[in-house]
Amino acid sequence: MSQAEQNDTDNNVNENVNSNFNDTFNNDDSLAVLDISAADSIDDDILESFYNRENLLKVMMATLDNIDERIKNGLTLPYYADIDTEMWQEKSKALDIYITDAVEGQELNLEARGKDYATNILSYPSDLPAAIIGLMPTLPLGELVICHAVVVREAADQNKTVNQHISHLLIHGVLHLLGFDHELGQAEQDEMESFEIDILAGLALPNPYL
């Protein structure tokens, strides 16, 4: 784990069961690799209800597809600026998601960001040099750590479903892994929010900032 960033946003993940959380490949493994794991304190019902792999993969791919279209129109990814565009678009992407509780979430946030409370999501970019990525069959984006208790509380406070909040946080977290950072200034915040709104709209999810 290298670098961490906080996200405060909204999401959506459908229901229904897909309990094979250690399966790392989608039906089309050329597109993405998604690994979902959880602390022992997170029971299977929570994983099945809110962190269904098929649904999270859908949000992940919608985010990457949206970004790919923007790259074609000249967008530069801050953490991947030195990677050839063709290489970026040809390689499948790998993402790790770890679900934890408030106790461990607080410990990780203190360690990563020096803030002594549990936050909704932490982003740990892979931070690999382009030369190394060029040798790898899959491009690792990094890891997202989601504190489920915080997500549930925030969803209730914001009158959103937990699934909607998770979808938004996942989009937000992936954007952080690509190097976008709303904490750098108003322009960066506006850019990130516009990306999120557009991606959520493509998933038929509402604007979380209204």
Side-chain angles (χ1 to χ4, degrees):
M1 289 185 176
S2 48
Q3 182 181 8
E5 298 149 319
Q6 181 186 11
N7 328 10
D8 246 313
T9 36
D10 173 78
N11 358 91
N12 171 32
V13 181
N14 279 344
E15 303 135 329
N16 269 338
V17 184
N18 179 2
S19 56
N20 188 6
F21 297 104
N22 293 319
D23 177 14
T24 56
F25 290 94
N26 184 25
N27 292 333
D28 182 354
D29 59 13
S30 67
L31 296 176
V33 178
L34 176 61
D35 184 61
I36 302 170
S37 59
D40 292 340
S41 57
I42 304 297
D43 63 44
D44 288 346
D45 288 342
I46 289 175
L47 293 176
E48 292 169 357
S49 297
F50 301 109
Y51 301 97
N52 176 285
R53 184 180 180 280
E54 180 180 349
N55 295 318
L56 295 188
L57 186 61
K58 179 181 177 181
V59 177
M60 173 186 172
M61 291 309 303
T63 305
L64 293 175
D65 287 347
N66 184 282
I67 291 299
D68 275 353
E69 286 302 313
R70 294 177 185 275
I71 289 173
K72 292 175 184 177
N73 293 318
L75 177 70
T76 298
L77 305 181
Y79 287 167
Y80 295 94
D82 55 349
I83 292 180
D84 180 73
T85 298
E86 185 175 340
M87 179 194 298
W88 165 268
Q89 295 187 325
E90 286 183 352
K91 282 185 179 290
S92 62
K93 312 301 190 299
L95 174 65
D96 293 325
I97 297 176
Y98 177 68
I99 318 301
T100 192
D101 55 34
V103 174
E104 186 177 31
Q106 180 173 352
E107 293 172 354
L108 291 172
N109 197 28
L110 181 61
E111 175 186 310
R113 303 172 61 243
K115 297 183 182 296
D116 194 15
Y117 57 84
T119 190
N120 49 21
I121 189 167
L122 291 167
S123 306
Y124 297 89
S126 59
D127 200 25
L128 293 174
I132 299 299
I133 291 175
L135 300 174
M136 303 174 73
T138 300
L139 192 156
L141 298 176
E143 181 178 19
L144 299 176
V145 176
I146 299 174
C147 181
H148 183 68
V150 174
V151 172
V152 171
R153 186 188 72 233
E154 289 180 346
D157 290 344
Q158 298 170 24
N159 295 315
K160 300 168 183 173
T161 68
V162 174
N163 286 335
Q164 284 178 326
H165 199 35
I166 291 168
S167 287
H168 186 195
L169 287 174
L170 177 52
I171 294 166
H172 192 84
V174 170
L175 291 176
H176 271 307
L177 295 179
L178 300 180
F180 299 102
D181 188 351
H182 55 92
E183 295 184 349
L184 293 178
Q186 189 61 49
E188 289 80 2
Q189 179 178 326
D190 292 344
E191 178 184 50
M192 238 181 126
E193 289 182 1
S194 71
F195 291 173
E196 293 164 13
I197 292 166
D198 191 41
I199 295 164
L200 287 165
L203 292 165
L205 295 174
N207 181 345
Y209 297 106
L210 295 179

